[in-house]
Every structure is written in C-alpha cells, then in structure tokens.
C-alpha cells in the first residue's frame, strides 16, 4: 500500500490517509458570513473524494478582520447552527473537517471593513490603503475573539481548529519585521513579535481544552525585502509545542507576494514541493507533525516527501479545486498526478467575481477522465 494511504494521528484525531485539503477561501457565504448551500456541497464532495482531512477556507473571527467579500464568519454564536450543518454534512460522508480561523488586519478589503489596522501604521506599497496602528486594548480584544471563535468551532462539532499565521494576515503582520515596528511588548525581536501568536495560541488552548486538535499554518518566509526570514521563523517553530499547538503546516509568502505562496507554472517534478527546504529545517527544531503544502502534484513526489520523513502529511489546495476526487483517483491508480495547470485562474482578481474554488479549466480536464 502506498504510504499516502496509511493512517496518521494528530492527537485524538484519526486520519485515514496522509492527504489534507489545505485551507482554500471558498467565497460561498452571505454578507453576514453565513455559509450558503454551495459551501456544504463543496465540502461534501471533498469528503466523498477521499481526502483524509479537510481544512476550511479562512473564517473571520471578528467583523474588523473580514478579509474579503463572501468570506465565511465564525465571529458570532448566531452562526453556530449553519456551521454545525457544515460539520455534520462532512461527518455524514465519514470525512474529517477543521476550521481555519483568521483576522485580515491591514489586508481586509475596502468592501468589508471601514478602516484597517496593523501592528504598526502602514502605507503603500504593502496595502491598498493606509492602515493605522492597533491599540493595546484592541490587541486584547482580538486575542479574546480568536479564543471565542475556536470555542465556536468546537461547539459546532468540527474536528479541530487551525490558526492562520501566514500570507500577510494579522498574525503574520505581527511576526514580520517589515510591518511590526512596535516598541512595546508586542514588537522588537522575534520573541516579542511572536507574543501575539503565543497569546492567541494559549487563549485558544484554554478555551478548547487539552484534547482538542489545534493546528497552525505558519508562513516561515515573507519573501519580500526586510520581511520574516527562515532563521527567525525557526525560533517560532521551536516554540509552537509549548504554545499548545498539535501540528504545523508550513507555508510562506506575504500579501501581494502570491507568486511565492500560490506559485504558477509548476510543470515538472522539480517545480513541486516548493516549501520542502523549510520543512526540512523545521523538522530539526520541532517534534510536532509537519504538513507540507505548495505545488505538490505527483504521487511519486508526495510519497517521496513522506518516505524521506520531511513531512507527515501532504496538503493540497489547487489540485482539489481542479479535482475534488483526486485522492480516490490516486488511491485507485486511475491517475498518477493532478491535472491542475497551476494557472491561478481560480484566484479571483476582482472582488465579487466569486469564482474561487471553481476551476475554469474543468471542461478541459474532464475530457481525459476515466
Ligand atoms: C483560491 C485560493 C484560495 C486560498 N485561500 C486560502 C485560505 O483561505 N487560507 C490559507 O491558508 N491559504 C489559502 N490559499 C493558499 C493554499 O492553501 C495553498 O497554500 C497554496 O495554494 C499552495 O498550495 P497548492 O499548490 O496545492 O495550491 C488559497 C489558495 C487559492 C488558490
Ligand atoms: S484554475 Fe484550475 S488549473 Fe488553474 S490553478 Fe486553479 S485549479 Fe489549477
């Protein structure tokens, strides 16, 4: 049997195989962040398609952190019945699903928030409009909002929660020396810049108890001049176990730097697994299970990453937009690699376009299906 289809555990969470659906913003919620029926259908399809663990697209933990239109919310108890329906739908298909929680900080769009804040005041070129400095009181409130959101995720019946600490959103802004210039206890060296993440992780853990899976997606490199480097992020990785984190998904890239994170033009196996070098370094400083995302397309590359021990789980975003049933197809030997062209035409450039999680090349890729 392929190692890809061997079981794995994240704490109390039993996974039937090593394939994870990486968080992918679905843009299938109404104006209040309430999930719409297509969201349930999408996740039911993913569960039927055989992926071992689904991570939802990022959900906003507070109205001030809504990153874009059509984003799902987890900021209010009013949303609990709809969120529960989503969890139940996946469980009915014997799937596992955890929720990624996020605050957009300076990267919330004009359409969703009246003003933006960041660890320090920020102007061009990193943001579409200036962001003011977040106050100490607001920091406390946002930490509490993360904890409340995690409690809702648990109450709604999901199998765990993932803290989004990548891609230039609020936690990633605190970690970044490019954005965080504070000279109080929330800024300075990496020890101070990771305090926000540390307090969020502790508050989340306090809310959900010791037996509930808490994961993190960590951006280990900003990829822009003056941004977070792997040397500094390794200090964060080393501290995650003490923060109460159960598993680490490794990513990178900052806002506007999607060329690093959602990389185009993956044509050969050497283009795949583009954050592998970070996983190799992270492994040396943490005993936590490692989840690798970024450009994984071929069965042989995925298997080799696991066999070499560089990661425990393989995470896929665009391949599962292209083919939600890819895990079953790999397991049954119907396919050796994803059909995703890494074109990024599934990334909506225009607000309201609403094409996330749909592959415009579907017709093309369907042609060759067995
Ligand atoms: C349409 C789209 C939406 C995404 N939304 C999120 C998200 O909500 N949270 C997140 O951590 N990453 C998000 N990502 C990034 C993916 O999870 C993943 O890290 C990246 O696409 C690289 O993996 P891939 O090569 O398998 O696509 C998104 C990517 C795409 C294409
Ligand atoms: S548009 Fe389709 S083929 Fe292109 S990256 Fe997105 S899922 Fe892959």
């Amino acid at each position: 049997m392929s190692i890809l289809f061997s079981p794995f555990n994240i704490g109390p969470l039993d996974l039937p195989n090593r394939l994870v659906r990486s968080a992918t913003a679905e843009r299938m919620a109404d104006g209040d962040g309430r999930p719409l029926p297509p969201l349930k259908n999408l996740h039911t399809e993913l569960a039927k398609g055989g992926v071992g663990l689904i991570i939802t697209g990022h959900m906003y933990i507070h109205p001030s952190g809504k990153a874009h239109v059509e984003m799902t919310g987890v900021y209010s108890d009013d949303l609990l019945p709809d969120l529960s329906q989503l969890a139940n739908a996946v469980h009915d298909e014997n799937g596992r699903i955890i929720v990624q929680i996020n605050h957009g900080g300076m990267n919330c769009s004009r359409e969703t928030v009246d003003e933006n804040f960041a660890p320090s005041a920020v102007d061009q070129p990193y943001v579409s409009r200036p962001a003011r400095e977040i106050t100490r009181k607001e920091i406390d409130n946002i930490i509490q909002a993360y904890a409340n959101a995690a409690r809702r995720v648990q109450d709604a019946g999901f199998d765990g929660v993932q803290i989004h600490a990548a891609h230039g959103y609020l936690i990633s802004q605190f970690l970044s020396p490019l954005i965080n210039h504070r000279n109080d206890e929330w800024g300075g060296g990496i020890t101070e810049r990771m305090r926000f993440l540390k307090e969020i992780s502790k508050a989340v853990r306090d809310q959900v108890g010791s037996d509930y899976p808490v994961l993190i997606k960590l951006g280990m490199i900003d990829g822009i001049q003056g941004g977070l480097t792997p040397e500094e992020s390794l200090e964060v990785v080393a501290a995650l176990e003490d923060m109460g984190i159960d598993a680490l998904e490794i990513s990178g890239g900052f806002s506007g730097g999607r060329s690093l994170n959602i990389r185009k033009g993956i044509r050969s196996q050497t283009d795949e697994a583009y954050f592998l070098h970070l996983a190799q370094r992270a492994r040396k400083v943490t005993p936590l299970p490692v989840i690798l995302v970024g450009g994984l397309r071929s069965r042989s590359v995925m298997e080799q990453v696991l066999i070499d021990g560089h990661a425990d789980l393989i995470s896929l975003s665009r391949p599962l937009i292209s083919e939600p049933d890819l895990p079953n197809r790999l397991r049954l030997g119907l396919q050796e690699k994803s059909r995703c062209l890494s074109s990024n035409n599934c990334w909506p450039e225009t607000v309201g376009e609403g094409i996330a999680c749909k592959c415009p090349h579907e017709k093309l890729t369907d042609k060759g299906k067995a």
Side-chain angles (χ1 to χ4, degrees):
M1 185 184 62
S2 161
I3 189 171
L4 271 183
F5 295 96
S6 61
F8 191 76
N9 279 40
I10 300 178
L13 182 59
D14 295 332
L15 304 178
N17 61 53
R18 307 299 187 96
L19 292 168
V20 176
R21 186 267 196 168
S22 200
T24 306
E26 298 91 357
R27 299 185 53 160
M28 294 173 179
D30 72 12
D32 295 326
R34 201 174 296 280
L36 293 168
L39 189 70
K40 201 166 76 178
N41 300 342
L42 176 88
H43 286 292
T44 305
E45 279 308 295
L46 283 166
K48 282 186 187 164
V51 74
L53 174 65
I54 296 169
I55 305 177
T56 67
H58 59 173
M59 295 192 189
Y60 59 107
I61 54 116
H62 189 268
S64 64
K66 184 174 182 179
H68 52 76
V69 294
E70 299 156 350
M71 186 174 177
T72 315
V74 65
Y75 61 90
S76 160
D77 286 352
D78 290 347
L79 298 163
L80 273 175
D82 298 271
L83 291 169
S84 289
Q85 278 187 26
L86 178 59
N88 293 341
V90 169
H91 291 155
D92 286 348
E93 297 299 336
N94 201 23
R96 287 123 182 100
I97 179 165
I98 72 175
V99 170
Q100 187 186 61
I101 55 174
N102 195 20
H103 188 293
M106 69 184 195
N107 277 320
C108 295
S109 86
R110 287 165 189 270
E111 284 75 13
T112 52
V113 297
D114 294 335
E115 59 161 6
N116 295 65
F117 55 68
S120 306
V122 194
D123 208 336
Q124 303 285 352
Y126 308 109
V127 279
S128 56
R129 66 172 164 181
R132 66 166 174 83
E133 180 174 294
I134 185 174
T135 66
R136 295 164 72 116
K137 175 95 182 107
E138 285 169 328
I139 290 177
D140 291 342
N141 290 343
I142 296 299
I143 292 169
Q144 191 54 49
Y146 269 97
N148 294 342
R151 192 259 307 151
R152 280 180 206 110
V153 169
Q154 187 178 34
D155 286 352
F158 290 96
D159 301 296
V161 64
Q162 184 184 57
I163 298 169
H164 194 348
H167 308 166
Y169 294 110
L170 189 59
I171 297 178
S172 160
Q173 291 158 29
F174 267 90
L175 291 172
S176 177
L178 191 65
I179 305 299
N180 184 349
H181 302 135
R182 297 180 75 96
N183 48 25
D184 59 7
E185 69 272 33
W186 302 102
I190 187 62
T191 310
E192 290 75 28
R193 281 184 275 123
M194 77 165 106
R195 188 186 305 274
F196 185 59
L197 169 62
K198 202 170 168 180
E199 294 304 321
I200 288 169
S201 306
K202 277 167 44 191
V204 164
R205 180 54 78 196
D206 282 352
Q207 275 291 329
V208 299
S210 56
D211 279 345
Y212 193 68
V214 178
L215 285 66
I216 187 170
K217 186 166 183 177
L218 180 69
M220 286 187 62
I221 181 169
D222 284 348
I224 38 178
Q225 190 76 31
L228 185 71
T229 60
E231 287 64 38
E232 283 194 322
S233 62
L234 282 169
E235 293 192 40
V236 183
V237 171
L240 292 176
E241 195 188 15
D242 280 349
M243 292 184 201
I245 300 293
D246 292 312
L248 160 67
E249 183 175 5
I250 292 170
S251 190
F254 212 72
S255 44
R258 293 201 183 100
S259 51
L260 190 70
N261 164 28
I262 310 178
R263 205 168 289 185
K264 285 189 182 182
I266 299 156
R267 295 202 175 81
S268 69
Q269 293 198 350
T270 49
D271 298 327
E272 294 191 34
Y274 45 77
F275 291 131
L276 183 64
H277 59 292
L278 298 174
Q280 288 167 327
R281 296 180 72 177
R283 266 294 206 220
K284 296 193 177 124
V285 301
T286 184
L288 294 178
V290 167
I291 307 170
L292 182 65
V293 71
L296 289 133
R297 299 291 180 267
S298 317
R299 171 208 291 277
S300 57
V301 173
M302 299 179 204
E303 287 175 345
Q304 203 57 51
V305 168
L306 298 178
I307 289 166
D308 291 342
H310 299 316
D312 302 292
L313 295 160
I314 298 293
S315 205
L316 308 170
S317 169
R318 289 166 291 174
L320 295 178
I321 295 178
S322 170
E323 297 163 286
D325 62 343
L326 181 66
N328 281 345
R329 298 180 66 78
L330 292 174
R331 184 173 53 79
L332 296 170
L334 296 172
Q335 225 165 293
E336 286 305 306
K337 64 177 293 216
S338 159
R339 291 174 202 269
C340 175
L341 307 169
S342 309
S343 64
N344 287 6
N345 289 329
C346 51
W347 183 271
E349 295 297 340
T350 315
V351 168
E353 219 174 313
I355 60 163
C357 282
K358 291 192 192 73
C359 176
H361 307 296
E362 258 165 14
K363 289 203 173 62
L364 183 79
T365 53
D366 271 351
K367 273 186 190 161
K369 276 209 171 183

